[in-house]
Amino acid sequence: YLIMLLLTLSLEGVSAQYIVAHRGFHSADDAVQNSIAALDAAQRAKIDASECDVNISRDGKLIVAHGPEHRSGDSVVRIDQTTFDALRAMPLANGEIPPTFDEYLVQASKSSDTKLIVELKSQQNSELESTMTRLVLDELAQRAMQHEVIYISFSRHICLMIAQELPTATVLYLNGDLTPDEAHALAYSGINYHISVLRNNTSWIAR
């Protein structure tokens, strides 16, 4: 199954290493990527953290899916060009309805052993990213979970918006094009880059 080591470079250096179920423990029985079953399986296995992807539908509702496309059987649609109801009518490979972000939070709240990592997916423009990020933060706040998750994104705009609103939250940048000092200047908590980027910049690890 797809498990990755998450290396977090904080402002003071390497802060932690976790075993992370990327898009959930999706090789478990009856689980697929970004499904409730995959998160539940990660929790039952007591994996340190489980990651999920959040996107926004054409009519402005949050859905847990990698995107930018959603596939169901032989049908493939772009999430940002498809209504929420239409997306929910396209089941995952295990038969689950694509989960809403709030449904994912309900499952996440059932275990304190497995931290939820929320990747807010980059959108076509900053306006859409702002709308999506606002919805994510609001839904987390409604469940008093805004400080219980780790936020990650390839989008500088999304990371900056979260860091400014929640200065004590953990916000990690993914895109690999900022040095630790540049990420610090933007008030991000740290960087979470592909291992190849770190191998090419080993001084960042010592930093």
Side-chain angles (χ1 to χ4, degrees):
Y1 51 89
L2 186 55
I3 296 289
M4 65 179 181
L5 279 176
L6 175 66
L7 177 63
T8 300
L9 299 182
S10 73
L11 304 182
E12 289 75 34
V14 178
S15 62
Q17 291 186 22
Y18 300 100
I19 301 298
V20 179
H22 187 225
R23 304 174 198 161
F25 186 0
H26 53 76
S27 68
D29 291 343
D30 300 320
V32 295
Q33 295 183 11
N34 281 310
S35 64
I36 297 291
L39 174 57
D40 177 62
Q43 293 171 325
R44 287 186 285 106
K46 297 189 182 300
I47 295 171
D48 294 324
S50 185
E51 182 259 2
C52 71
D53 302 302
V54 180
N55 262 290
I56 188 167
S57 67
R58 188 181 77 188
D59 48 348
K61 296 184 179 180
L62 299 179
I63 194 154
V64 176
H66 182 267
E69 296 178 336
H70 173 61
R71 180 183 296 274
S72 181
D74 294 329
S75 300
V76 182
V77 298
R78 279 194 61 94
I79 292 172
D80 61 354
Q81 296 175 5
T82 307
T83 65
F84 175 78
D85 288 343
L87 290 166
R88 293 273 280 181
M90 299 176 66
L92 304 177
N94 67 344
E96 272 189 43
I97 296 171
T100 66
F101 184 52
D102 190 61
E103 288 169 345
Y104 224 75
L105 294 181
V106 170
Q107 181 63 42
S109 68
K110 295 179 180 180
S111 171
S112 59
D113 295 318
T114 301
K115 181 175 284 292
L116 185 64
I117 299 176
V118 179
E119 180 178 345
L120 290 83
K121 303 301 289 188
S122 301
Q123 301 299 312
Q124 291 190 39
N125 55 62
S126 60
E127 182 178 358
L128 275 176
E129 290 185 345
S130 293
T131 298
M132 181 184 68
T133 303
R134 178 76 271 144
L135 290 170
V136 166
L137 293 177
D138 287 350
E139 290 195 11
L140 283 163
Q142 287 171 10
R143 294 191 175 277
M145 294 177 67
Q146 64 268 48
H147 292 286
E148 296 180 16
V149 305
I150 294 173
Y151 303 89
I152 62 175
S153 185
F154 285 90
S155 165
R156 294 189 191 189
H157 175 71
I158 289 172
C159 287
L160 184 60
M161 184 173 173
I162 298 171
Q164 289 178 337
E165 178 154 339
L166 299 173
T168 62
T170 301
V171 182
L172 306 177
Y173 181 62
L174 299 175
N175 204 44
D177 59 346
L178 293 177
T179 68
D181 287 339
E182 289 170 334
H184 176 33
L186 291 169
Y188 303 162
S189 306
I191 55 177
N192 178 16
Y193 292 165
H194 190 276
I195 189 65
S196 62
V197 178
L198 299 178
R199 283 174 176 159
N200 290 331
N201 298 276
T202 55
S203 64
W204 292 357
I205 298 174
R207 163 74 175 83

